Each structure stands twice: as structure tokens, then as C-alpha cells.
Amino acid sequence: MEKVNEVFFSEKGLTSTSASHLADLAQETVLGNEAKLKNMSFITTKVDIVGSLSESGKTVSLGYDEKGLSEVKGLLEEIAEMNAFCAWMREAIKAKEREIQQINRCSFDEWCQLFGYPVIEKTELPKEIRAEDLIAEMNVKERNRYFTLEAIAATIGKYIHPGGKFSDAREELLTKTMKPYTADGTGKDTLIYSHTASVSQEKVEEVFFELQKIHRQNERELNRIKFALKRESDRLNLESQQKYKSELDKASLQYKRMFSQYKEWQIKESDRVSKLKIIVPDELQTTYEKLSLLEE
């Protein structure tokens, strides 16, 4: 098995079917939370007709109150949590599929080379080492942390960056606080809309800047990791190029094995890989337990 895929598997854990089902449940949770955040607004709008004796008008839409605002952070955190769980499980499932496909695609000559039986060895250009290859060398905790940082960056950034739901709602609050009335229509049919903040601007700013702080801290850590990966891949690529040059004119014999043994290996290895279980990282255990309850 390739090093890139080993980190996902153990003798104990989840089957691919269970992992896929839990990932689907996690995605449903994400969609549910996103639906709750879809119509985020901090404005309560009322309407009245010009000349009406009503003092308050009719309410046509309600903005988030403090309770609603207080739930935003939790919903975003759960979205990030579920996305991190999905990232791990989906990658693990794909890793197993890649391994089985690789076994089935392995030619007789490749198999001989893998086990050291004689074939003509050709000197080939070294494969470029990418950041993804170094990520593959990470242990469970490191790689899950990387997936989590990416999930948090994408989740929070989606809402607080310009054009995001929180950013737009915040801008709407600032605008309609300055212009609390708008009119639609003409003459006696003119509708007057009054706009009032459903939660204080200070509370909105407090949550907004808290999310910004979390996003900046997350981005800094993620960028530090990416920079370290780039620096290490450059070093390793330089070393491999130097080694390639020294071995360019060398050739050696490889070993080969009987075709029946090769087919037997294919069948047994494919069966072994298919039975491997997907591990649940310690950091995702709580999420796993939460999703497992949804199955009951």
C-alpha cells in the first residue's frame, strides 16, 4: 500500500459503507445549518400605507434577535466540524478505491519489479515531490489538523468575506440604520417601509470581529504549514535531481515471478485491502458519536 493511503486504515474502524453513510449524514447537517443561515438579516421590516392611522405598521420580515445572533457561531463551527469529518472519510474511501484499482491495474512486469524479480531496469526521471506528497507523510493528527484548518478557513471565509451572508447582513444593518425608511409606489398607494435593527450594531460587530479573529488565526497557521511544505518539497526535489544525475547511466536487472503467482497475489491483496477498516481520528471521535446517534 502506498504511504499516502496507509494513514487511513487499521484492523478496527469503519467499513467504507458506514463511513460513506456517516459522511452523508454530516453533509445533511451542513445543509441544514446553511439553510438556517441562508436568510441571515439583522433588520426587522415593517410596512404601512401613507395616511394610515396605524402607528407601528405591519411586520413583513423579522431580523435576527440576540438569540439568533448567538447561534451563528455555533452553526458555523458545526459546519466546519462536519466538513472536516467528511474530508477525512471521503479521502479514506477514495484511498481504498485507488489502492484496489492500483492492484487490478498492476501489470505482470510491474509486479515483478515490486517484489524484486529480474526485469530490465530503466533509469527514469524522478517524480516531482509536491506538497500533497508531504501531506501524505503526515500522521493522523497532523493530516486531520490540516483538513480541519482548510475546512474552517473555507467555512468562516464564505460568510464574512465581501458577498458572504454575514458580511451582507452587516452592511445592510449599517445602511438601513442610516436610512430607516424607504418608500415604494406613488400617491395614496405609496408604501412606507420602516427598518429597525433586530439586534444591536455593537453585538453584530462583536461577533463579526470575533469571527474575523478566528479566521485570521486559522489562516496564519494554515499558511505556516503550507510554507513549510513548499520549503521541504524544494529541498527534496533538489536532492532527488542530484541523485538522478549520479544514477542516470546505471542499469540493473530486476526479478520476475510466475504469472500464476502474480494472479494469486492480485486476488489476495485486493481482498485484504477491501477488508481494511477506516480509522476515526481522536479529534473526530465526538463528531462520529454525534452522527452515530442520528442513525438510531
Side-chain angles (χ1 to χ4, degrees):
M1 177 175 289
E2 290 187 12
K3 186 70 174 177
V4 64
N5 297 329
E6 287 179 358
V7 70
F8 291 111
F9 305 114
S10 175
E11 296 301 319
K12 296 181 180 180
L14 305 177
T15 64
S16 295
T17 300
S18 294
S20 178
H21 178 60
L22 290 174
D24 288 341
L25 290 178
Q27 194 58 43
E28 289 176 11
T29 300
V30 169
L31 293 175
N33 285 1
E34 287 182 338
K36 293 175 183 178
L37 296 168
K38 182 178 180 181
N39 297 314
M40 187 188 302
S41 174
F42 304 121
I43 295 297
T44 293
T45 298
K46 297 182 179 180
V47 64
D48 208 346
I49 299 175
V50 173
S52 171
L53 298 178
S54 172
E55 296 181 0
S56 59
K58 295 183 182 289
T59 300
V60 294
S61 64
L62 291 172
Y64 277 31
D65 56 15
E66 289 195 21
K67 181 179 181 298
L69 176 63
S70 69
E71 294 174 351
V72 171
K73 182 182 175 184
L75 289 170
L76 292 177
E77 288 175 342
E78 188 171 54
I79 289 174
E81 172 192 352
M82 293 299 165
N83 282 337
F85 184 88
C86 282
W88 179 267
M89 294 303 166
R90 299 295 191 203
E91 285 297 318
I93 292 169
K94 287 192 291 185
K96 182 183 284 192
E97 291 172 350
R98 285 195 300 267
E99 283 296 322
I100 293 175
Q101 289 172 0
Q102 187 168 325
I103 292 168
N104 293 332
R105 287 197 303 260
C106 181
S107 69
F108 178 64
D109 286 344
E110 289 171 338
W111 178 78
C112 289
Q113 187 173 5
L114 178 64
F115 288 94
Y117 290 90
V119 294
I120 303 264
E121 184 181 278
K122 297 180 181 179
T123 303
E124 298 181 353
L125 284 169
K127 179 183 177 182
E128 181 183 4
I129 299 172
R130 303 164 301 166
E132 290 82 357
D133 299 315
L134 297 179
I135 292 173
E137 297 291 335
M138 293 177 176
N139 59 33
V140 171
K141 186 178 182 66
E142 290 170 339
R143 201 184 312 189
N144 182 59
R145 180 59 180 165
Y146 187 85
F147 287 157
T148 299
L149 289 171
E150 286 192 321
I152 293 172
T155 300
I156 296 181
K158 175 182 176 181
Y159 281 88
I160 67 172
H161 286 158
K165 288 292 183 182
F166 198 109
S167 178
D168 287 349
R170 175 173 172 261
E171 184 177 345
E172 180 189 30
L173 173 63
L174 296 173
T175 300
K176 290 188 176 178
T177 297
M178 297 296 294
K179 296 180 179 180
Y181 297 97
T182 55
D184 184 27
T186 59
K188 65 178 182 180
D189 294 324
T190 299
L191 300 177
I192 305 298
Y193 293 87
S194 66
H195 311 290
T196 57
S198 60
V199 65
S200 72
Q201 185 174 329
E202 290 76 16
K203 288 287 186 181
V204 173
E205 293 297 296
E206 180 182 330
V207 174
F208 181 76
F209 287 113
E210 182 181 3
L211 290 172
Q212 272 197 332
K213 181 180 179 182
I214 294 171
H215 190 260
R216 284 196 303 271
Q217 292 172 341
N218 183 81
E219 285 281 82
R220 279 197 296 269
E221 184 177 351
L222 182 60
N223 288 336
R224 280 198 300 269
I225 295 174
K226 288 182 176 180
F227 178 77
L229 291 172
K230 177 65 167 60
R231 185 171 55 187
E232 180 65 5
S233 65
D234 288 344
R235 184 186 69 80
L236 293 173
N237 281 321
L238 178 60
E239 287 182 358
S240 65
Q241 286 295 330
Q242 292 171 340
K243 183 178 180 181
Y244 168 73
K245 290 177 183 178
S246 68
E247 296 179 351
L248 190 60
D249 296 326
K250 296 178 181 178
S252 63
L253 295 176
Q254 305 294 320
Y255 296 87
K256 63 181 176 180
R257 297 186 63 180
M258 295 175 62
F259 190 77
S260 60
Q261 291 176 313
Y262 153 67
K263 295 303 293 183
E264 182 182 358
W265 169 84
Q266 261 191 336
I267 294 169
K268 288 183 177 180
E269 186 66 6
S270 180
D271 182 62
R272 183 189 70 82
V273 172
S274 67
K275 291 178 180 177
L276 288 175
K277 299 297 193 298
I278 297 171
I279 68 173
V280 179
D282 292 341
E283 293 79 4
L284 296 179
Q285 192 64 38
T286 300
T287 309
Y288 163 71
E289 292 170 359
K290 183 188 300 185
L291 291 169
S292 295
L293 292 176
L294 297 178
E295 294 184 298
E296 298 179 357

